[in-house]
Amino acid sequence: MSDTSDGIRAGRLAPEEYARNFSDSHAPLQRVQALIEADRCYYCYDAPCINACPTGIDIPTFIQRIAQDNIRGAARAILEENILGGMCARVCPTEVLCEQACVRNTNEDKPVEIGLLQRFATDGYFAKPGAPLFSRAAKTGRRFAAVGAGPAGLSFAHRLAMLGHDVVVFDANPKAGGLNEYGLATYKTVEGFAQKEIDWLLSIGGIEVRCNQALGRDVVLSDLVRDYDGVFLGMGLAGVNALGVTEPQAAGLRDAVRFIAELRQASDFSKVPIGRKVVVIGGGMTAVDAAVQSKKLGAEDVTIVYRRGEEAMSASGYEQDWAKRSGVTIKHWAAPKEVVAEGGQVRGMRFATTRVDNGKLVETGETFVVPADMVFKAIGQSYEPAPAGASIKLNGGRIVTDAEGRTSHAKVWAGGDCTYGGRDLTVEAVEHGKRAAISADKALRQAARETRNG
Amino acid sequence: MADLTSTFVGIKSPNPFWLASAPPTDKAYNVERAFEAGWGGAVWKTVGEDPPIVNVNGPRYSALLSQDRRVIGFNNIELISDRPLKVNLDEMKRVKRDWPDRAVVASLMVPCTEKDWREILKKVEDTGCDGVELNFGCPHGMSERGMGAAVGQVPEYIEMVAAWCKQHTKLPVIVKLTPNITDVRFPARAAKKGGADAVSLINTINSIMGVDLERMTMHPSTDGRGSHGGYCGYAVKPIALNMVGEIARDKETRGIPISGIGGITTWRDAAEFIALGAGNVQVCTAAMVYGFKIIKDLTDGLSNFMDEQGYRSVAEFQGKAVDTIADWQALNLNHVEKAVINQDLCIQCGRCHVVCEDTSHQAITATVNGKRHFEVKDEECVGCNLCVSVCPVTDCITLRALKPGEVDTRTGVKISGKYANWTTHPNNPMRKEPESA
């Protein structure tokens, strides 16, 4: 049973269909599968997969520990480098990271399933955590602030807590987690995993999360810099890029990120309205997550439209396949031209076909309309610089940092999507937070030494 | 096509693969299934005097497994047949009658008195079986009662019992040896002195498979207690090959027929035993792991190998590699090999590097010009074969022998092409002066 009437409607599917559609999209490995897969790891020297992991997890070690039935040890090897290794096991584009580097690809074209093994280890550990894996060093009495309780901010806070400092994490949203809580497709992190992982992370102690606290509104950077020993900015990208065409006030024209966030917070998917025909504009993970979830809410036709070719899409090949297998059509070489609206309601989207001419993307002059009740904008997000203010230097519209995460302000570090030069991956945000914490701790100790010696 | 028919101490079988005396040959039902599958012969599960022994009612077997649960090694604590002697003998008789072209050999174990051996031999002869194998090998249970390995560990007993048996039966007598000794040549020599027609080896090796770390008990256990078992399977093949080779090249036992046993899993394993002198082979664990069907792969593989090599019969390559087994002091110290990594096959795992670097001779690079690259440094390589052994890619790393005239860059010595061993080496304080030309 599904409701295929026009317009934007909730409850297009039967309850059991919602339950099925929003269950775990990829089954975790069973123990026997994990043991067989673990046996495939060659335990390489200076393993290429380690170097391909932004957080530098010692992958052969954790896999060897799985093989040796030492799940706690496997989880430790993962989490000591990547405190959000459980979520990263679910969302990392492993095919372009660790698994791409696996030497098994040479002869078999089939890497060790590192991501699934990581999930096996972390799930196994979280199911039976036992004594804490990480403890805090002697309290230093120092206090840091982090802005943004996403992967970067939480990673920063946890590492500093381990080093004996206290951390207050401010977040504009009602819940901690950042994109882990608001930005991922529901079927990637079922059963409240994001919050469970954060609860575990915070259990180390010394970290206070203050929600509904937005920088520039409820707290200001100059106060934080004055009141704390150091500040970390990890507030992600709050702005949504515009289509570059007139965007009328019409029902059905929406930001994909907001849609994804609402869906993650929805307690009843049958109450979430969706169009019969949906168009998603963009070529990244957000576009895929919005499109697939539209389909899973019962939309009849879902089309991702991207202005360049398949190879230029920032969604990984795996994600693109997932979209196609989920019934989403992907249309390449078409740029948004006009939102077709009628009576305050979106009716479709006009696109101009494109091609590359002398290395430049140009329109061919032809246009076409894809009928739609809903149009999702997923053409990227941008950093909003106003809340942090002018003391933080930018490049390409994002915060500039050095390799340790230091910004142009001596007491401010930054990491995650709001910084310049990354690939906007969760796993990179975790690494940024970790490096910044180590750097901030080092700076503090150095200052203390100088004071003593001075 | 190669002729696989085999004659071992006068016993004919359509191929040289016999099932060893063990659980697979415990009764007619199994042996008939084996013969239907194509096995050349069966050494019946060891019989003893009545009343029959009893077995434990719990785990008899246990395995050493690879990560994906392939059986690497196998252990058992089963005793000899727990069925009445007459039941076994009647079945043996019937099977031999129904399968006249197959070898049926009775394995025997009775206390060390001449009377006991004489009586059981008489009963066994009535079955029409082709020969007897004296079980001097079982290392568990029976050995506590002065039988099995308890006999096989005392060369004088072996000689004595073998002589009794030769005296009291016309059937060929095969003595099955235990590996739980320090030098297998002594029991083999004893068997020969006693007049045995052949030896078969190896029986199983004393083993404990593990410990249950939750219960802190030996594993497997019977109600919390375990007893050492007999270890066999693929993992024991190198031990068995050495013992077969030792007997094949020993001056005193050279030429005694050997039935090779120990971890034979593929045709290749069997061919190796035969090349080291075995006249036929016996298999147990591989059948217990995969079933009787494997006989088809064993015979097919052996037959194809023989066709490719031009051997018309097993006898043509039997013992062909025996003379290549030498004492260490006979090895040519002027021969130099170097590892070579085939860069086209290398998958960059780096295992060759790390093991050489950590545990051997620091002879393999990790980077060249700043790039991950694994290459042998001839000036450090001693040709030890460690990298070849650990490389996960078949044929990626090989050893190359330096030719006469080439210089070993490690030592700066030019390869002479002349043979010289330790016995004449200047570093050997006990050296003999090389014979002058």
Side-chain angles (χ1 to χ4, degrees):
Chain A
M1 182 215 83
S2 70
D3 176 356
T4 55
S5 56
D6 282 340
I8 302 170
R9 310 236 179 293
R12 287 182 179 274
L13 304 176
E16 63 272 17
E17 285 178 285
Y18 285 109
R20 191 171 60 237
N21 286 353
F22 288 93
S23 63
D24 212 337
S25 57
H26 298 101
L29 294 179
Q30 298 303 306
R31 182 167 177 269
V32 58
Q33 295 170 305
L35 290 176
I36 292 171
E37 193 58 24
D39 198 38
R40 294 186 64 231
C41 174
Y42 281 140
Y43 202 72
C44 294
Y45 164 75
D46 188 20
C49 54
I50 302 177
N51 297 315
C53 172
T55 57
I57 293 172
D58 186 344
I59 293 164
T61 290
F62 94 68
I63 293 179
Q64 179 84 343
R65 290 177 187 180
I66 290 175
Q68 294 178 1
D69 224 357
N70 176 9
I71 298 304
R72 183 179 169 85
R76 184 198 302 281
I78 294 161
L79 297 168
E80 69 190 2
E81 294 299 343
N82 180 343
I83 199 66
L84 295 172
M87 185 61 88
C88 287
R90 290 161 163 76
V91 302
C92 262
T94 51
E95 66 167 31
V96 297
L97 298 172
C98 52
E99 291 178 16
Q100 186 183 48
C102 179
V103 301
R104 282 264 182 191
N105 285 312
T106 313
N107 283 334
E108 298 160 67
D109 232 2
K110 188 182 178 303
V112 174
E113 302 252 36
I114 299 167
L116 282 171
L117 286 170
Q118 181 168 324
R119 179 162 173 196
F120 177 80
T122 49
D123 279 3
Y125 166 70
F126 286 129
K128 230 172 73 182
L133 267 189
F134 303 105
S135 55
R136 301 189 65 191
K139 282 197 184 173
T140 61
R142 300 303 189 118
R143 223 160 60 116
F144 286 84
V147 182
L154 290 172
S155 167
F156 175 83
H158 188 272
R159 185 55 60 131
L160 284 179
M162 278 175 68
L163 294 167
H165 310 296
D166 288 334
V167 188
V168 178
V169 188
F170 301 90
D171 197 283
N173 280 309
K175 283 191 203 168
L179 288 181
N180 282 7
E181 179 56 35
Y182 294 98
L184 299 172
T186 300
Y187 45 72
K188 286 180 181 168
T189 165
V190 298
E191 292 164 4
F193 179 76
Q195 288 306 312
K196 285 185 200 161
E197 187 180 39
I198 292 168
D199 289 347
W200 169 79
L201 180 150
L202 296 177
S203 69
I204 190 169
I207 305 171
E208 181 195 344
V209 179
R210 295 185 194 162
C211 288
N212 299 307
Q213 296 288 303
L215 187 68
R217 184 188 71 195
D218 308 296
V219 284
V220 289
L221 185 58
S222 55
D223 290 353
L224 295 179
V225 165
R226 183 195 62 215
D227 297 342
Y228 291 85
D229 291 292
V231 179
F232 178 79
L233 300 177
M235 58 281 220
L237 305 172
V240 173
N241 292 344
L243 287 177
V245 300
T246 309
E247 295 185 20
Q249 287 292 317
L253 178 63
R254 305 204 52 201
D255 292 339
V257 285
R258 306 261 182 272
F259 169 66
I260 290 166
E262 275 173 31
L263 207 48
R264 272 296 295 284
Q265 302 307 310
S267 53
D268 182 354
F269 297 117
S270 72
K271 299 260 164 62
V272 180
I274 193 72
R276 178 185 168 203
K277 295 174 191 296
V278 174
V279 164
V280 182
I281 303 168
M285 302 277 210
T286 303
V288 170
D289 281 356
V292 172
Q293 294 196 107
S294 297
K295 196 76 195 160
K296 288 185 180 294
L297 284 172
E300 199 179 4
D301 289 323
V302 180
T303 311
I304 290 175
V305 184
Y306 180 56
R307 63 200 178 111
R308 290 176 181 270
E310 186 178 325
E311 63 294 336
M313 289 178 76
S314 62
S316 64
Y318 183 83
E319 289 275 326
Q320 293 179 44
D321 283 347
W322 163 244
K324 288 176 199 161
R325 276 187 283 123
S326 302
V328 172
T329 306
I330 304 181
K331 231 173 146 40
H332 299 106
W333 301 110
K337 202 69 185 159
E338 182 199 354
V339 180
V340 183
E342 210 180 276
Q345 163 63 45
V346 167
R347 295 292 178 210
M349 189 74 204
R350 180 182 299 280
F351 292 94
T353 58
T354 56
R355 63 185 163 88
V356 171
D357 195 7
N358 281 329
K360 260 191 77 177
L361 191 73
V362 295
E363 294 180 3
T364 63
E366 282 176 52
T367 70
F368 62 93
V369 172
V370 181
D373 310 304
M374 286 182 98
V375 170
F376 288 117
K377 297 179 281 179
I379 54 175
Q381 290 150 263
S382 52
Y383 172 63
E384 288 191 345
S391 67
I392 305 300
K393 284 218 178 79
L394 307 183
N395 184 9
R398 302 204 195 178
I399 299 171
V400 189
T401 67
D402 64 7
E404 293 183 9
R406 287 182 293 210
T407 68
S408 53
H409 190 297
K411 278 183 77 179
V412 180
W413 284 259
D417 294 356
C418 66
T419 56
Y420 174 75
R423 287 174 286 183
D424 294 356
L425 299 173
T426 310
V427 65
E428 280 183 343
V430 175
E431 179 66 8
H432 291 167
K434 182 175 88 186
R435 282 189 202 176
I438 293 164
S439 173
D441 174 71
K442 191 180 75 181
L444 209 61
R445 289 174 199 280
Q446 198 158 347
R449 248 194 324 274
E450 279 162 15
T451 312
R452 268 202 312 276
N453 298 341
Chain B
M1 222 181 91
D3 177 12
L4 290 190
T5 58
S6 162
T7 304
F8 184 78
V9 290
I11 306 171
K12 290 191 182 343
S13 57
N15 62 55
F17 297 99
W18 293 0
L19 281 170
S21 171
T25 59
D26 186 34
K27 53 189 181 301
Y29 180 84
N30 305 80
V31 176
E32 282 172 339
R33 280 176 68 83
F35 286 171
E36 279 161 22
W39 288 86
V43 184
W44 208 273
K45 169 97 179 165
T46 304
V47 295
E49 289 179 334
D50 285 334
I53 58 86
V54 293
N55 271 301
V56 293
N57 301 295
R60 299 179 191 186
Y61 311 125
S62 182
L64 182 73
L65 301 172
S66 72
Q67 203 58 46
D68 68 353
R69 293 191 65 86
R70 280 187 179 264
V71 173
I72 296 166
F74 197 74
N75 156 291
N76 89 88
I77 57 162
E78 190 172 283
L79 303 183
I80 63 172
S81 178
D82 53 14
R83 306 189 310 155
L85 179 60
K86 186 170 178 336
V87 172
N88 275 309
L89 297 180
D90 288 350
E91 288 186 6
M92 223 183 282
K93 187 173 190 170
R94 179 163 59 78
V95 171
K96 181 62 203 179
R97 185 194 66 207
D98 293 347
W99 298 85
D101 70 323
R102 309 304 168 94
V104 175
V105 174
S107 171
L108 309 176
M109 186 193 288
V110 290
C112 254
T113 73
E114 187 171 2
K115 174 174 157 288
D116 286 318
W117 283 97
R118 188 176 63 228
E119 282 175 6
I120 198 157
L121 284 168
K122 205 182 299 161
K123 291 176 188 161
V124 165
E125 274 188 341
D126 288 344
T127 65
C129 71
D130 298 296
V132 293
E133 185 179 79
L134 315 186
N135 182 344
F136 296 160
C138 264
H140 50 267
M142 304 311 290
S143 53
E144 298 168 13
R145 306 171 202 178
M147 291 180 271
V151 180
Q153 286 165 338
V154 184
E156 291 77 9
Y157 292 173
I158 295 174
E159 184 182 340
M160 175 179 77
V161 179
W164 290 338
C165 291
K166 279 307 287 180
Q167 192 188 333
H168 296 300
T169 182
K170 297 252 171 330
L171 292 172
V173 173
I174 304 165
V175 170
K176 187 163 180 178
L177 300 178
T178 174
N180 298 304
I181 38 78
T182 46
D183 187 340
V184 80
R185 291 175 300 181
F186 290 89
R189 287 169 187 163
K192 192 175 177 193
K193 267 189 221 151
D197 297 283
V199 290
S200 56
L201 69 159
I202 58 174
N203 204 308
T204 56
I205 303 169
N206 288 354
S207 57
I208 287 177
M209 295 307 279
V211 173
D212 180 330
L213 292 175
E214 270 83 48
R215 297 167 61 204
M216 272 299 164
T217 54
M218 178 184 151
H219 178 80
S221 76
T222 302
D223 192 21
R225 260 192 201 156
S227 182
H228 82 256
Y231 192 56
C232 55
Y234 200 46
V236 312
K237 179 189 138 190
I239 296 166
L241 276 179
N242 173 58
M243 291 189 169
V244 166
E246 285 298 287
I247 293 169
R249 76 188 187 98
D250 179 52
K251 273 195 195 110
E252 292 183 40
T253 53
R254 201 175 177 100
I256 191 169
I258 300 170
S259 187
I261 312 170
I264 294 166
T265 307
T266 69
W267 67 266
R268 187 178 287 276
D269 304 325
E272 289 175 21
F273 274 86
I274 292 166
L276 288 188
N280 77 354
V281 295
Q282 297 184 32
V283 177
C284 169
T285 308
M288 290 188 72
V289 172
Y290 297 110
F292 290 143
K293 188 185 160 195
I294 59 161
I295 184 57
K296 296 196 165 57
D297 307 320
L298 292 169
T299 52
D300 186 69
L302 186 64
S303 173
N304 288 337
F305 159 74
M306 287 166 61
D307 285 345
E308 274 167 31
Q309 298 292 325
Y311 299 123
R312 285 160 301 175
S313 70
V314 168
E316 284 189 7
F317 74 97
Q318 183 191 344
K320 233 182 157 185
V322 171
D323 289 339
T324 64
I325 309 173
D327 290 346
W328 191 94
Q329 63 172 3
L331 305 184
N332 182 4
L333 297 176
N334 284 344
H335 177 83
V336 177
E337 298 194 13
K338 301 283 178 192
V340 181
I341 300 173
N342 182 334
Q343 296 299 333
D344 293 335
L345 294 178
C346 176
I347 61 170
Q348 307 281 313
C349 73
R351 296 222 335 241
C352 56
H353 162 79
V354 75
V355 296
C356 188
E357 195 70 16
D358 284 355
T359 72
S360 195
H361 289 78
Q362 298 76 47
I364 297 178
T365 65
T367 52
V368 171
N369 298 327
K371 278 186 66 183
R372 186 176 179 89
H373 186 79
F374 304 98
E375 199 174 280
V376 176
K377 295 183 254 182
D378 278 358
E379 66 277 17
E380 304 293 345
C381 179
V382 301
C384 73
N385 207 41
L386 177 62
C387 53
V388 178
S389 306
V390 304
C391 178
V393 181
T394 311
D395 296 334
C396 176
I397 310 182
T398 48
L399 289 181
R400 179 182 83 86
L402 300 194
K403 294 187 193 70
E406 282 189 77
V407 173
D408 178 354
T409 52
R410 186 176 71 87
T411 58
V413 173
K414 190 188 266 188
I415 305 300
S416 66
K418 292 199 180 109
Y419 168 86
N421 65 37
W422 175 246
T423 61
T424 56
H425 196 278
N427 287 19
N428 180 357
M430 321 274 278
R431 71 181 170 277
K432 296 175 278 185
E433 287 311 315
E435 287 165 31
S436 50

